[in-house]
Amino acid sequence: MNYLSITDTERFISSALQAEKVPASDADIIANLMVQSDLVGADGHGIFRLPAYLKRIRAGGVNLHPNIHIEREQGATALINGDNALGHLVMNRAVDLAIEKVKQHSVCWIGSHYGNHSGAASVYVRKLAEQGYIGIYMAVGNANHMAPWGGIDLLLSTNPIAIAVPAGDGPTVLLDIATTVAAYGKVKVAAQKGESIPDDWMIDRQGKPITDPKKSAEGSLLPIGGYKGYGLAVMIGLLAGALNNAAVGKGTIDFNAHHDLVTNTGQTIIAVDPSAFGNTEEFINRVIALVNDLKNSSTLPGVKEIRVPGEGAAKTMAERSERGIPVSPELLEALNACAQECGIPALRF
């Protein structure tokens, strides 16, 4: 495994995007946000996605000169029209607007449509938590990979949800999950590496496990918690898709299979100012107290420690900030193929 410095990773991504006519300022923003996914270990959402993004750009599937704007606005709410921009730009605007509105109203709900894939959900709620706010993110995934509970028709996506709560000087308490047992990006990473996947990730149309990720098109991702995960996926689809007049259900476009089509991706950001409910410092102290209680609680035999949501990501971020972003031989080959197509220098270690 090779490691690429943060600076070199951002530079490579930005150079590749600019080679495909993405404005330099936009390319730099996207590169930074993509690397944020890699930093926390969301390897299926960072630089790994660059080849797919470039395919969509070349196919005309995204708007490189978008007018990202507020389409509707009422009080503490707003609907952003992404104008089919690269997804990171749409969500970056949504977070900026959420910060503006939460300062005015103590709470806000920002929806967006006509966006695209924007990387790991944690990237955006973390930005809110770093400003002292509670952040919640929901989205309709960019392809349907899950059937309704008991069915075989792929009508739902992984529909992720992320929640971030500030914890003072400690790691942000952060949950970032797909509503499926595994995000589809993990399946794609396993396929690229030639690895098998666990037998509880996917089933085929007869309900039998799929362990070969290259056969993923033949089956359905399984929801977390059985029917409960299915129900959660439905509700997120309604709040991030239907409410935002974005694609959901049969209207969802598989951006991996149709690079030239508009996905109309729907996403939602909610921000809450803890001071609206009392003294912020006292709230943070209560957060820290719960974290400590959890960390210091008794463990089952063979369990070394209790972990809290966000702790693993914080550890990975610290390690990768020092060491760099891991690039497997298979990913390196794919990225250097992109470099050749873009006419930019190949990656060297």
Side-chain angles (χ1 to χ4, degrees):
M1 183 73 72
N2 293 303
Y3 290 83
L4 193 62
S5 73
I6 306 303
T7 300
D8 287 345
T9 306
E10 289 190 12
R11 183 184 298 119
F12 180 83
I13 294 171
S14 182
S15 295
L17 292 171
Q18 290 183 59
E20 298 299 331
K21 309 303 181 185
V22 176
S25 59
D26 289 349
D28 287 344
I29 291 171
I30 295 165
N32 176 266
L33 292 171
M34 287 176 67
V35 169
Q36 295 303 311
S37 290
D38 284 312
L39 275 175
V40 296
D43 294 335
H45 291 295
I47 194 172
F48 172 82
R49 293 280 181 171
L50 182 61
Y53 294 160
L54 295 176
K55 285 181 181 178
R56 282 192 60 75
I57 291 171
R58 293 181 190 126
V62 292
N63 183 358
L64 300 186
H65 300 282
N67 174 25
I68 302 173
H69 62 281
I70 298 173
E71 184 175 300
R72 297 178 65 91
E73 187 171 21
Q74 186 172 321
T77 68
L79 175 65
I80 292 177
N81 186 322
D83 197 22
N84 198 31
L86 287 158
H88 300 76
L89 300 176
V90 181
M91 288 314 301
N92 193 57
R93 177 72 179 94
V95 171
D96 286 346
L97 180 59
I99 292 172
E100 290 177 22
K101 281 193 169 289
V102 75
K103 288 178 179 178
Q104 298 172 6
H105 303 284
S106 297
V107 64
C108 68
W109 182 299
I110 311 296
S112 69
H113 62 165
Y114 291 106
N116 279 285
H117 187 274
S118 58
S122 67
V123 171
Y124 304 103
V125 291
R126 187 182 300 279
K127 287 168 71 72
L128 291 169
E130 288 172 349
Q131 296 289 320
Y133 304 115
I134 295 168
I136 303 173
Y137 169 98
M138 295 178 285
V140 177
N142 292 91
N144 285 341
H145 296 298
M146 181 168 67
W149 187 245
I152 60 174
D153 294 333
L154 300 182
L155 294 172
L156 294 166
S157 188
T158 54
N159 292 5
I161 181 170
I163 304 172
V165 177
D169 295 331
T172 298
V173 182
L174 200 161
L175 178 71
D176 179 1
I177 58 170
T179 49
T180 49
V181 174
Y184 195 66
K186 290 185 177 181
V187 177
K188 290 175 69 66
V189 169
Q192 186 184 69
K193 293 182 177 180
E195 299 173 347
S196 61
I197 59 176
D199 61 9
D200 62 347
W201 282 16
M202 299 193 74
I203 56 172
D204 62 20
R205 288 177 173 270
Q206 284 71 48
K208 297 178 180 178
I210 291 175
T211 57
D212 182 354
K214 294 182 179 178
K215 295 182 178 180
S216 61
E218 302 172 14
S220 168
L221 288 171
L222 287 168
I224 55 173
Y227 68 89
K228 296 180 181 179
Y230 155 61
L232 182 59
V234 170
M235 301 311 291
I236 292 173
L238 294 175
L239 295 177
L243 182 63
N244 293 334
N245 191 21
V248 67
K250 290 183 178 180
T252 303
I253 300 295
D254 185 344
F255 81 139
N256 293 302
H258 305 287
H259 301 293
D260 58 328
L261 299 182
V262 175
T263 62
N264 188 14
T265 300
Q267 294 154 300
T268 292
I269 281 281
I270 302 167
V272 180
D273 185 348
S275 70
F277 298 88
N279 182 278
T280 299
E281 184 176 349
E282 292 177 1
F283 166 69
I284 296 297
N285 288 337
R286 290 193 294 271
V287 173
I288 294 172
L290 176 59
V291 168
N292 289 337
D293 287 345
L294 295 171
K295 293 290 295 175
N296 295 323
S297 62
S298 302
T299 60
L300 288 167
V303 177
K304 293 183 178 179
E305 65 172 330
I306 301 294
R307 292 172 58 180
V308 176
E311 184 179 356
K315 182 179 179 181
T316 300
M317 182 182 293
E319 291 173 350
R320 292 188 175 184
S321 295
E322 293 272 338
R323 193 172 188 181
I325 304 301
V327 179
S328 67
E330 296 83 4
L331 178 56
L332 178 62
E333 182 179 354
L335 293 174
N336 280 339
C338 288
Q340 185 174 9
E341 293 168 353
C342 294
I344 63 174
L347 289 172
R348 295 284 185 267
F349 297 96

